[in-house]
Amino acid sequence: MTEVRVFCPATIANVSCGFDVLGLCLDAVGDEMIIRKVDTPGVTITKITGQHLPLETDKNVAGVAALALLNAVQSNDGFEIEIHKKIKAGSGIGSSAASAAGAVFGINELLDNPFTKKELIAFAAEGEKIASGVVHADNVAPALLGGFTLVRSCQPLDVVSIPVPDELVAVVIHPQIEIRTQDARAVLKSTIPLKKAITQWGNLGALVAALYSNDYELLSRSLHDEIIEPHRSVLIPGFDAIKKASLQEGALGCGISGSGPSVFALTRGEQTAKKVAMRMAAIYQEFDVAHDIHISPINTKGTILI
Ligand code: HSE
């Protein structure tokens, strides 16, 4: 095999109460990458469609992630990468993570899989670092593995896959503005009051328990973010109205997707998801905010060959 075509899915990081640790994988939106084994050693990004992103290997998340993997296997092989972006950069649904995940997944396949998917997370996270300035694996882990993932620790990397309740559906609305993760991190405080921390870890623990036990009511009670959302939501047009309307339409919860500006809601079943999506879209029409909207089951496969 000298060429692979890869689907690299979008993801929702944080999922309200799990800042930098929790993430889930989407099915309805993702990038495609073509990766070829070539004679010239190293990694060359030959083409990017859909977005203006750097072609220089050391400035591109896919390139940096690929080099991290090749460095670990001490390989002199050469690879060319084509990236076809469907996920907009700065949208909050893991655009850079998808590129990083796709690159390491594809190269690993062409090398005959020296690493498990879980082991690839560390290399993809190296790529992510150039997009956000810090190592966080809450997008790359679900992008590679699918489903819900919890990053217990980044160094050393310790990632737990969490079961996905069958009827869970995600709605994501993306107002057409760009928020760089670095900027969205800059608005955060570096310390938090103990009382808020207690509420947050109560919610996070309960959310994980709800996913294991298919308890949609507990899931709904847990989807709150006392720490990050108050600081970041002011950057997102109409956030409060979108959230209120989603909950009125029966969403289990609604919050900021990753570092925004996308807003997500989780629902039980597709019927409710459609109602939530319609209300979200109606609000942005009223506010005259251009947007994309996606309704997606939770993708339990992650990055795959196509
Ligand atoms: N956990 C990261 C953040 C995700 O919220 O900054 C970035 O997509």
Side-chain angles (χ1 to χ4, degrees):
M1 189 161 59
T2 56
E3 180 178 302
V4 288
R5 185 180 279 263
V6 179
F7 173 72
C8 352
T11 44
I12 295 174
N14 303 336
V15 199
S16 292
C17 50
F19 178 68
D20 271 4
V21 297
L22 196 64
L24 68 83
C25 189
L26 294 168
D27 216 14
V29 54
D31 296 340
E32 282 184 28
M33 291 170 82
I34 298 168
I35 305 178
R36 283 180 210 97
K37 206 163 174 192
V38 292
D39 292 334
T40 321
V43 176
T44 314
I45 297 168
T46 53
K47 190 175 185 183
I48 301 175
T49 63
Q51 292 285 289
H52 291 289
L53 293 167
L55 282 164
E56 295 95 324
T57 306
D58 60 348
K59 295 201 177 94
N60 183 295
V61 292
V64 172
L67 290 176
L69 186 160
L70 291 182
N71 202 23
V73 284
Q74 308 251 299
S75 165
N76 273 328
D77 290 309
F79 297 91
E80 281 180 1
I81 302 179
E82 266 184 38
I83 309 173
H84 301 286
K85 297 293 297 176
K86 307 258 169 57
I87 314 171
K88 293 189 176 123
S91 58
I93 51 171
S95 180
S96 53
S99 299
V104 295
F105 177 80
I107 291 177
N108 193 49
E109 286 285 331
L110 292 171
L111 290 174
D112 257 344
N113 295 302
F115 298 103
T116 63
K117 260 187 166 182
K118 217 173 204 181
E119 286 167 339
L120 293 176
I121 295 169
F123 308 126
E126 280 300 308
E128 262 282 65
K129 194 171 158 189
I130 65 161
S132 64
V134 288
V135 174
H136 63 90
D138 54 340
N139 286 110
V140 288
L144 276 162
L145 302 180
F148 274 83
T149 57
L150 180 87
V151 182
R152 192 202 63 79
S153 153
C154 262
Q155 267 159 353
L157 199 64
D158 188 359
V159 175
V160 184
S161 282
I162 302 169
V164 181
D166 283 348
E167 295 172 68
L168 208 57
V169 178
V171 183
V172 180
I173 190 157
H174 172 212
Q176 304 289 289
I177 56 167
E178 188 179 335
I179 297 182
R180 290 168 63 231
T181 298
Q182 265 171 325
D183 299 335
R185 294 183 84 88
V187 302
L188 302 178
K189 296 209 168 6
S190 57
T191 57
I192 52 173
L194 182 60
K195 199 163 173 257
K196 282 193 194 293
I198 292 167
T199 306
Q200 196 90 347
W201 61 55
N203 280 324
L204 180 57
L207 177 53
V208 172
L211 293 170
Y212 270 92
S213 58
N214 289 301
D215 186 337
Y216 292 91
E217 281 167 19
L218 181 62
L219 185 73
S220 181
R221 295 201 298 281
S222 313
L223 281 168
H224 297 288
D225 173 10
E226 296 253 332
I227 292 172
I228 308 299
E229 188 177 291
H231 299 290
R232 285 182 169 173
S233 57
V234 292
L235 306 173
I236 301 171
F239 177 82
D240 292 341
I242 292 268
K243 181 167 176 163
K244 192 171 163 205
S246 301
L247 298 175
Q248 277 170 354
E249 292 299 334
L252 299 165
C254 175
I256 302 170
S257 177
S259 53
S262 289
V263 177
F264 80 95
L266 291 181
T267 66
R268 181 174 192 171
E270 206 176 319
Q271 281 305 103
T272 311
K274 284 183 182 154
K275 285 200 289 177
V276 168
M278 275 173 65
R279 273 295 290 283
M280 284 178 162
I283 286 170
Y284 272 167
Q285 265 144 25
E286 193 185 311
F287 287 16
D288 208 11
V289 177
H291 59 274
D292 288 336
I293 195 152
H294 310 286
I295 296 177
S296 173
I298 313 304
N299 168 352
T300 53
K301 296 202 171 75
T303 306
I304 51 166
L305 293 180
I306 47 173

